[in-house]
């Protein structure tokens, strides 16, 4: 079997990732989920034209010639607060004091900010005319009654959640999350609750994968460790097939004790591929059961397992949850080191990001070996060195894939 390119492997994975059923959740639980229904407004908002400022509602024609030397004087005939209706129509050479959000009275077409005026007894002085129509929010600017305001497929951010609240959606239809099981495999592995044994390797993958799922909003089930024997593997892998997605790490290569692929075969799973032209990451086996469970046989090396999760599992899980934006955001940055590489495989290089006068730069997090978890642990992103590139120079522009939670920086750019 040939090596698949990263792009082809992702396409193949996504072909088998199907969005889940729809479920109803309480408004607050809908955050970070994907809307599974179109939502219509049940009112106009604002319900009528309202003032956008604390100020005076007036007729533009009356004040269009005002200057600081020759201010225009208007009689204040009303005082309108938010939630109150105006008492009277505003006639020529008159104005109404008005608060932000209060309905504009009949007769006016413009609101001037209180800061640009001067009170004078029962009158107000205007020195400079605002633009005609200024500071009035038109009826329905936010929501138009009966119009669709949110469509199926919308990611529910805090702002979207606020709109759902405004249209009184106490229960929201969202796409269900897939159930995920995680299994580590290897005779050498030591579980978190086992005592330290110097001849063993502490299980990192179960917990890295658990955390990667959790970062996507999925509470995965840990199935523990399966030893490298076909019988135990078969039992534990079958347990995992009860879930929508099974993530098994280790034992997927061509070693003497790598039983994961033959065991998956014996369980009747259709394998789609198991070799991807990437580093770290290869080998990665992907298959599906007749019931639609997706099985990922991830590499045993902790960094490789995490990189494969980011490149393939995460987009698949996001697709199942109804998201349309599946891949990590990328940005351009300049290299601070040379990279010598072997062409033929895409290389995901772990980096941190910094900023200088010319923009963003990327720096290696340390040794890039696929067992060096520390350089993954502190990474803010991956540089993706394409398959056909074998060297890059310091100063070259590269594409950086940002890792979850790394879209924060020290200071605000203004
Ligand atoms: P394998 O793919 O099973 O040959 O494993 C490749 C390397 O990853 C070996 O050095 C394993 O000890 C290591 N490894 C496999 N599974 C885990 C795990 N769950 N946690 C930490 N290291 C692992
Ligand atoms: Mg192994």
């Amino acid at each position: 079997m040939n090596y698949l390119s990263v792009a082809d492997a992702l396409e193949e994975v996504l072909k088998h990732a199907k969005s889940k059923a729809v479920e109803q959740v309480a408004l607050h639980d809908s955050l970070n989920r994907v809307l599974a229904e179109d939502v219509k407004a049940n009112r106009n908002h604002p319900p009528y034209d309202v003032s956008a400022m604390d100020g005076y509602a007036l007729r533009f024609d009356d004040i269009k010639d005002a200057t600081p030397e020759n201010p225009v004087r208007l009689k204040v005939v009303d005082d309108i607060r938010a939630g109150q209706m105006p008492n009277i129509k505003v006639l020529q050479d008159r104005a109404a004091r008005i608060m932000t959000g209060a309905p504009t009275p009949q007769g006016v077409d413009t609101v001037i900010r209180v800061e640009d005026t001067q009170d004078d007894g029962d009158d107000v002085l205007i020195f400079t005319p605002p633009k005609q129509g200024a500071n009035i929010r038109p009826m329905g600017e936010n929501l138009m009654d009966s119009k669709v305001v949110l469509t199926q497929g919308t990611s529910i951010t805090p702002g979207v959640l606020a709109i759902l609240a405004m249209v009184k959606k106490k229960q929201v239809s969202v796409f269900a999350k897939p159930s995920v099981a995680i299994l580590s495999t290897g005779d050498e592995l030591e579980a978190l609750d086992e005592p330290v044994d110097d001849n063993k390797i502490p299980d990192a993958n179960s917990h890295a994968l658990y955390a990667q799922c959790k970062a996507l909003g999925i509470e995965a089930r840990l199935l523990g460790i399966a030893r490298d024997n076909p019988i135990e593997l078969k039992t534990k892998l079958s347990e995992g097939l009860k879930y929508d997605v099974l993530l098994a790490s280790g034992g997927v290569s061509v070693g003497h004790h790598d039983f994961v692929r033959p065991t998956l075969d014996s369980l009747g799973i259709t394998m789609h591929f198991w070799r991807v032209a990437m580093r770290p990451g290869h080998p990665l086996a992907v298959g599906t059961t007749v019931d639609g469970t997706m099985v990922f046989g991830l590499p045993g090396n902790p960094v490789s397992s995490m990189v494969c999760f980011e490149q393939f599992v995460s987009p698949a899980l996001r697709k199942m949850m109804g998201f349309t934006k599946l891949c990590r955001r990328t940005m351009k940055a300049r290299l601070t080191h040379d990279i010598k590489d072997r062409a033929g495989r895409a290389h995901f290089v772990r980096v941190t990001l910094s900023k200088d006068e010319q923009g963003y730069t990327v720096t290696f997090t340390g040794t890039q070996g696929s067992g060096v978890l520390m350089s993954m642990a502190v990474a803010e992103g991956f540089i993706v060195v394409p398959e056909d590139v074998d060297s890059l120079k310091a100063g070259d522009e590269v594409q950086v894939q940002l890792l979850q939670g790394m879209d924060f920086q020290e200071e605000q750019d203004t």
Side-chain angles (χ1 to χ4, degrees), residues 45-346:
H45 180 268
Y48 20 67
D49 292 358
V50 297
S51 177
M53 291 284 172
D54 291 337
Y56 291 89
L58 42 73
R59 299 149 44 95
F60 179 75
D61 262 357
D62 292 346
I63 53 113
K64 63 176 189 298
D65 299 324
T67 63
E69 298 74 37
N70 269 316
V72 171
R73 174 180 294 271
L74 303 174
K75 191 169 181 56
V76 180
V77 293
D78 200 359
D79 189 349
I80 314 160
R81 295 198 244 155
Q84 258 180 12
M85 295 311 285
N87 297 312
I88 48 172
K89 184 173 173 178
V90 172
L91 304 175
Q92 193 176 357
D93 296 329
R94 287 171 160 66
R97 188 174 295 117
I98 193 162
M99 304 299 135
T100 306
T104 51
Q106 273 184 37
V108 309
D109 60 358
T110 302
V111 169
I112 186 165
R113 303 191 308 168
V114 70
E115 296 91 321
D116 299 334
T117 66
Q118 194 182 305
D119 274 358
D120 188 23
D122 291 342
D123 300 342
V124 60
L125 298 175
I126 314 293
F127 301 93
T128 318
K131 282 206 185 103
Q132 186 166 21
N135 301 319
I136 294 181
R137 292 183 189 145
M139 189 260 272
E141 184 184 48
N142 257 321
L143 305 171
M144 267 302 183
D145 193 13
S146 309
K147 286 263 164 63
V148 171
V149 282
L150 296 168
T151 51
Q152 187 193 48
T154 301
S155 300
I156 303 178
T157 60
V160 169
L161 194 144
I163 291 175
L164 291 167
M166 288 184 97
V167 301
K168 304 288 186 186
K169 292 286 289 184
K170 289 190 189 149
Q171 293 286 313
V172 184
S173 264
V174 296
F175 290 104
K177 297 177 188 182
S179 59
V180 179
I182 295 172
L183 180 67
S184 283
T185 74
D187 286 341
E188 75 283 25
L189 298 181
E190 174 190 286
L192 182 63
D193 52 7
E194 282 177 336
V196 173
D197 175 342
D198 287 337
N199 296 317
K200 292 206 159 175
I201 303 289
D203 173 17
N205 295 355
S206 291
H207 307 288
L209 293 168
Y210 173 84
Q212 287 178 299
C213 288
K214 182 128 183 166
L216 294 178
I218 295 171
E219 193 72 38
R221 175 77 198 282
L222 292 179
L223 300 182
I225 297 168
R227 300 302 161 190
D228 291 319
N229 77 69
I231 296 163
E232 187 174 338
L233 256 181
K234 192 162 183 169
T235 311
K236 295 241 159 104
L237 286 171
S238 333
E239 172 67 19
L241 297 183
K242 294 179 191 154
Y243 295 76
D244 295 318
V245 177
L246 167 60
L247 307 177
S249 70
V252 78
S253 195
V254 291
H256 255 306
H257 302 281
D258 289 340
F259 297 119
V260 169
R261 282 183 303 115
T263 309
L264 290 174
D265 278 341
S266 77
L267 285 165
I269 288 161
T270 309
M271 299 309 292
H272 305 297
F273 63 85
W274 72 278
R275 282 178 152 154
V276 184
M278 65 188 281
R279 186 160 78 92
H282 155 83
L284 163 72
V286 176
T288 39
T289 65
V290 281
D291 301 331
T293 294
M294 280 195 87
V295 184
F296 291 85
L298 298 163
N301 277 307
V303 176
S304 312
S305 161
M306 289 189 75
V307 171
C308 284
F309 183 97
E310 288 302 331
Q311 304 312 313
F312 305 108
V313 182
S314 167
L317 293 176
R318 283 181 64 82
K319 185 170 177 204
M320 292 178 194
M321 289 189 282
F323 288 98
T324 46
K325 292 183 178 175
L326 304 180
C327 298
R328 293 268 176 239
R329 200 179 279 285
T330 61
M331 60 183 277
K332 290 199 160 74
R334 281 173 299 115
L335 266 181
T336 56
H337 304 265
D338 294 347
I339 298 184
K340 277 224 169 319
D341 222 340
R342 244 180 316 143
R345 287 194 198 181

